[in-house]
Amino acid sequence: MALRQPQARFAVVGQPIDHSLSPHIHRAFARQWSVDLDYGRIELAPSALASGIARFAESGGVGLNVTLPHKQAVMALCAGLSERARRAGAVNTLSYVDGGWHGDNTDGVGLVNDLSQRRGIDLRARRTLLLGAGGAACGVAPALLDAGIGELVVCNRSPERADALVDALAAPERAHSRYWRDLPDLAHFDLVVNATSAGRGIEPLTLPFHLAGAQTVAVDLSYGRAAIDFLAWARAAGCGQAFDGLGMLVEQAAESFFLWQGVRPETDAVYADLRRLADGEAAAE
């Protein structure tokens, strides 16, 4: 597949969006391949999602990354969906093809690539707790199963959403739903993935310490300030390893870049640059 012509328009859409590092990441990828990339941020309220995305296409837009709170709602605007998007029930990457938007989901492969390739973590047979059942959780759950984890327990404050996610996974022997009130009764996990908004100024993060231990890997799908509370819990619970979602962000962006440009960028240098930036900002606070 040939690289797209110079100045094709790309962007990330969400609300809020000012904090997004996606423009920085995609511009770094573009420099590796000498692509003249136009990549911006678009803030849209849910009520303006359809009209805003239509205007973007009319103005020459050919690719969009989709973040909160639009990952599930944007599916209704797609003329076609990849198998990954269908399984996830959520979209984080849009490509304008033959006069319509095609939806894909690169979150799952982004998480798995960060953990298995960058961190060297063997995911096979790990008993996994997935906190949350929204668009981010839906995006990573199928990929975790494909990566060979053992039992997947989905826990959400809204029981119906946890049940719906597990039903959609269609893996009754491996995937099960539990409710937030059940957390004190659950046994130890080898992998804990936080895909909720708990601890981000919306609601407090309260998790029992016995869910994790020295062999547990803890991952928050967010990064920066949004991941502080969960990572603090992971340290207090004695988790052997704990990461925020910055590595996943870079890896899912690399998959989006490949879908749009037909070439795979190198991610380690981009991640290292963002890690230094994020750690520097945290030290300055």
Side-chain angles (χ1 to χ4, degrees):
M1 178 179 175
L3 295 177
R4 291 190 180 274
Q5 294 300 311
Q7 287 303 309
R9 293 191 64 208
F10 300 86
V12 58
V13 59
Q15 189 185 46
I17 203 63
D18 287 347
H19 69 287
S20 176
L21 294 174
S22 291
H24 178 98
I25 295 169
H26 280 273
R27 290 166 190 162
F29 290 161
R31 287 192 293 272
Q32 295 177 15
W33 291 93
S34 299
V35 176
D36 188 9
L37 188 72
D38 179 352
Y39 190 110
R41 299 181 182 92
I42 301 174
E43 179 156 346
L44 292 175
S47 60
L49 181 64
S51 60
I53 288 180
R55 285 195 302 272
F56 181 71
E58 291 168 359
S59 68
V62 298
L64 281 168
N65 286 125
V66 183
T67 188
L68 296 174
H70 303 314
K71 290 185 178 184
Q72 291 171 313
V74 79
M75 292 183 70
L77 307 179
C78 293
L81 294 170
S82 70
E83 180 61 22
R84 292 187 297 201
R86 289 192 186 94
R87 290 182 67 199
V91 162
N92 81 326
T93 303
L94 291 172
S95 304
Y96 200 67
V97 180
D98 296 330
W101 289 108
H102 180 82
D104 204 338
N105 195 303
T106 68
D107 280 338
V109 68
L111 176 63
V112 170
N113 285 350
D114 180 52
L115 293 178
S116 62
Q117 297 179 17
R118 176 171 291 111
R119 317 289 183 185
I121 296 169
D122 187 351
L123 295 173
R124 291 175 297 178
R126 285 185 178 267
R127 185 169 188 261
T128 300
L129 174 62
L130 177 59
L131 299 167
C138 291
V140 302
L144 288 171
L145 290 174
D146 290 347
I149 65 168
E151 181 186 15
L152 176 66
V153 176
V154 180
C155 187
N156 192 60
R157 293 186 187 276
S158 301
E160 299 81 5
R161 298 191 74 175
D163 292 340
L165 172 52
V166 167
D167 289 345
L169 292 171
E173 295 183 356
R174 298 173 63 199
H176 311 283
S177 60
R178 294 292 184 270
Y179 309 142
W180 211 261
R181 64 175 180 270
D182 297 330
L183 283 173
D185 302 321
L186 299 182
H188 173 273
F189 290 91
D190 306 304
L191 175 64
V192 181
V193 179
N194 183 33
T196 74
S197 59
R200 298 169 195 172
I202 299 174
E203 53 193 347
L205 179 68
T206 54
L207 299 173
F209 292 133
H210 73 265
L211 295 175
Q215 302 304 314
T216 302
V217 175
V219 185
D220 197 307
L221 299 190
S222 293
Y223 57 90
R225 293 180 180 177
I228 289 176
D229 282 3
F230 178 76
L231 295 180
W233 169 83
R235 289 190 294 270
C239 291
Q241 298 182 78
F243 310 106
D244 67 7
L246 192 62
M248 171 186 164
L249 178 71
V250 173
E251 295 300 328
Q252 65 81 25
E255 186 72 9
S256 295
F257 189 87
F258 172 72
L259 292 173
W260 293 331
Q261 308 291 352
V263 291
R264 291 195 178 277
E266 190 281 325
T267 60
D268 285 345
V270 177
Y271 171 74
D273 180 50
L274 291 180
R275 185 81 277 163
R276 286 192 294 269
L277 178 64
D279 291 347
E281 290 178 349
E285 290 180 353

